[in-house]
Amino acid sequence: MTLKKKIISLTFFGLIPFYSDLVFIVFKINIKSTFLPTNLSAFYGALIICFLSGMHWKSLIQAKKIELLVIPMIPVIFLWITFFFSNKLFFQFTVIFGLLWCLVSDLTLLKKLNEKWFKKMRVLITIFAIIPLTLNFFYQ
């Protein structure tokens, strides 16, 4: 398997946790735990946004675009503020906004650094990640 195929496969497998809340709803599984957030897919989305922002930092540093380093941090700051100080629905909305922010960052700030296949994959992955987060609004 080529590196490109490995990246695509692992990225699509990374979508599975986004659909965890829908699985819980469909199979009427009730998770009440002090260790797990009640909205697993949104929390996982927040972690993914932090990971993507770190990747953007690395790319901007390597490209010597130090003046742009604040841009990937904007969704991360909003995410954790809303996680701790806001309601669940607003946090979930912020995760959707953050995923879109990371996609736009990939397509604009890093457009010369990313290959065409990677950009297409990022668009698809973002759409497939936002779908369950959007559906969760209707099952709160």
Side-chain angles (χ1 to χ4, degrees):
M1 186 181 278
T2 65
L3 180 61
K4 177 181 167 181
K5 287 183 181 180
K6 284 181 187 177
I7 291 170
I8 292 171
S9 299
L10 290 173
T11 303
F12 274 96
F13 280 126
L15 283 173
I16 293 170
F18 280 107
Y19 289 85
S20 62
D21 289 335
L22 293 178
V23 170
F24 293 147
I25 291 167
V26 168
F27 292 107
K28 296 179 173 80
I29 299 169
N30 189 9
I31 56 161
K32 294 286 184 194
S33 171
T34 56
F35 299 108
L36 295 173
T38 55
N39 192 338
L40 285 174
S41 58
F43 186 74
Y44 177 71
L47 294 175
I48 292 297
I49 291 166
C50 291
F51 172 77
L52 290 171
S53 295
M55 285 179 39
H56 295 158
W57 257 52
K58 174 189 168 277
S59 298
L60 290 170
I61 289 170
Q62 285 180 334
K64 297 187 182 355
K65 295 183 178 186
I66 307 301
E67 67 280 359
L68 299 176
L69 286 179
V70 72
I71 294 173
M73 295 311 298
I74 292 170
V76 174
I77 293 167
F78 280 114
L79 273 173
W80 295 112
I81 289 172
T82 58
F83 179 73
F84 289 114
F85 302 110
S86 184
N87 66 24
K88 188 166 59 170
L89 288 176
F90 191 68
F91 174 66
Q92 193 167 330
F93 174 76
T94 308
V95 171
I96 292 170
F97 172 77
L99 288 169
L100 290 171
W101 184 281
C102 288
L103 177 63
V104 170
S105 294
D106 269 335
L107 298 177
T108 57
L109 293 178
L110 307 172
K111 65 182 171 190
K112 294 180 182 173
L113 302 175
N114 293 329
E115 295 181 36
K116 189 174 182 177
W117 67 267
F118 183 81
K119 293 175 195 174
K120 287 181 183 179
M121 179 193 69
R122 283 285 291 120
V123 169
L124 278 175
I125 289 295
T126 302
I127 291 168
F128 284 126
I130 289 174
I131 289 171
L133 293 169
T134 305
L135 291 175
N136 280 345
F137 282 123
F138 301 105
Y139 295 103
Q140 298 292 325

